[in-house]
Amino acid sequence: MTDRDWRCEDPEQQLVWASATSEALRVLEGKWKIVIIIQLFAAKSPLRFSELERRIEGVNQKMLIQQLRQLEKDGIVGRMVYPQVPPKVEYTLTEMGIALGPSVEALVDWAFMRREALGH
Amino acid sequence: MTDRDWRCEDPEQQLVWASATSEALRVLEGKWKIVIIIQLFAAKSPLRFSELERRIEGVNQKMLIQQLRQLEKDGIVGRMVYPQVPPKVEYTLTEMGIALGPSVEALVDWAFMRREALGH
DNA sequence: TGCAATACCCACCAGGAGGTAAGTATGACC
DNA sequence: GGTCATACTTACCTCCTGGTGGGTATTGCA
């Protein structure tokens, strides 16, 4: 679970780590996914569809839904439907989504450092 | 530089982190990039083009070059050309590439956990 | 009657990512 | 003269991602 494994010399193991990781990264690919994830982390509570739409500048509905559906399928976010009119749907991070915390944190740090290095 | 920032409540800050991070993630997107990065980490030394090609199962030359060029452009890998015949080119992680270590580690951990959760 | 609010779905399109197969340049070696 | 190795480049093709602009269902309210 630490770097003792993934930096090892065994080429077989490297392939295993590399393929698992690229497979996992593919779950995060998509123009709006990390934005959604970060918003859900920051909110610390479920967010409604329209709330996400409002918070994420530049998404349209189709894109937001598409990305949410993929995140849901991949087990990152959960969907809670309230049978009301007008409809109400809430999105949350699942356990697996919350487990992304360290990765997101490291990526945020790196992104920050990168911005600095490239000159604001 | 820690989670005290990116999980804050300030919506302005959230947008800054989210956009910086999605921008940074876009640098890692591409079917072979993390695989390349992990191989370079694991090798602990520069790798020649043909060596990368040999280690990464399934890439073809065009894809490998394309991804290496993009990683180079984004400042993740460095390229060292030796004026020989037959040609010799070595690829290394730059400082910014090495700085990806914690992110890669966290992602590897998550990918591992995910595999377990999905039933290997 | 008709409009507002919410959370979607559908048809369609452009551009780019990914992939295959072939070609290029150079000098050494046989 | 022909082949080999290395690190590419090029032409061409397919499929997916992202995006636009509409439509749908339900009920309350004026």
Side-chain angles (χ1 to χ4, degrees):
Chain A
M1 296 286 269
T2 76
D3 68 345
R4 70 182 125 81
D5 290 311
W6 72 277
R7 294 192 203 219
C8 73
E9 303 276 359
D10 181 3
E12 288 286 333
Q13 267 304 318
Q14 285 169 24
L15 284 180
V16 173
W17 298 125
S19 70
T21 308
S22 62
E23 189 186 320
L25 239 199
R26 210 151 317 131
V27 161
L28 302 182
E29 285 180 6
K31 195 169 179 183
W32 306 100
K33 290 195 189 162
I34 329 108
V35 185
I36 293 172
I37 291 170
I38 287 183
Q39 289 295 331
L40 286 175
F41 263 117
K44 300 188 182 77
S45 61
L47 287 179
R48 297 187 60 174
F49 180 83
S50 52
E51 187 59 29
L52 279 168
E53 194 182 355
R54 218 169 297 125
R55 292 188 185 211
I56 301 176
E57 207 174 348
V59 236
N60 56 43
Q61 292 187 322
K62 181 205 149 190
M63 277 298 110
L64 186 52
I65 291 222
Q66 189 185 91
Q67 307 272 296
L68 282 169
R69 285 288 138 81
Q70 289 175 16
L71 288 171
E72 190 191 353
K73 181 171 68 65
D74 289 326
I76 312 295
V77 307
R79 202 173 106 98
M80 182 69 184
V81 180
Y82 296 88
Q84 299 179 355
V85 169
K88 175 178 172 180
V89 182
E90 281 185 347
Y91 294 91
T92 40
L93 288 172
T94 62
E95 216 175 298
M96 201 180 283
I98 294 171
L100 268 173
S103 301
V104 176
E105 188 173 326
L107 284 169
V108 170
D109 283 354
W110 187 75
F112 181 75
M113 193 213 78
R114 191 177 134 82
R115 280 222 166 159
E116 299 273 297
L118 298 181
H120 77 282
Chain B
M1 296 286 268
T2 75
D3 68 344
R4 72 184 124 80
D5 290 313
W6 73 278
R7 295 193 203 215
C8 74
E9 303 277 359
D10 182 4
E12 288 286 332
Q13 267 305 316
Q14 285 168 26
L15 284 180
V16 173
W17 296 126
S19 71
T21 308
S22 62
E23 189 188 318
L25 238 199
R26 212 151 314 133
V27 161
L28 301 182
E29 284 181 7
K31 196 169 177 184
W32 306 101
K33 289 194 188 162
I34 329 108
V35 185
I36 292 173
I37 290 171
I38 288 183
Q39 289 295 330
L40 286 175
F41 263 117
K44 297 187 183 73
S45 60
L47 287 180
R48 298 188 58 175
F49 180 83
S50 53
E51 187 59 30
L52 279 168
E53 194 183 357
R54 220 169 295 124
R55 291 187 186 213
I56 300 176
E57 206 175 350
V59 237
N60 57 44
Q61 292 185 324
K62 180 204 150 190
M63 277 298 109
L64 185 51
I65 291 225
Q66 191 184 92
Q67 307 274 295
L68 282 169
R69 286 288 139 83
Q70 290 177 16
L71 287 171
E72 190 191 353
K73 182 171 68 65
D74 289 326
I76 312 294
V77 307
R79 201 173 106 99
M80 181 68 186
V81 181
Y82 297 87
Q84 301 178 356
V85 171
K88 174 178 172 179
V89 182
E90 280 185 346
Y91 293 91
T92 41
L93 288 172
T94 61
E95 217 176 296
M96 200 180 287
I98 294 171
L100 267 174
S103 301
V104 176
E105 189 173 325
L107 284 169
V108 169
D109 283 353
W110 188 74
F112 181 74
M113 195 213 76
R114 192 176 133 84
R115 279 221 168 162
E116 299 272 299
L118 298 180
H120 69 284

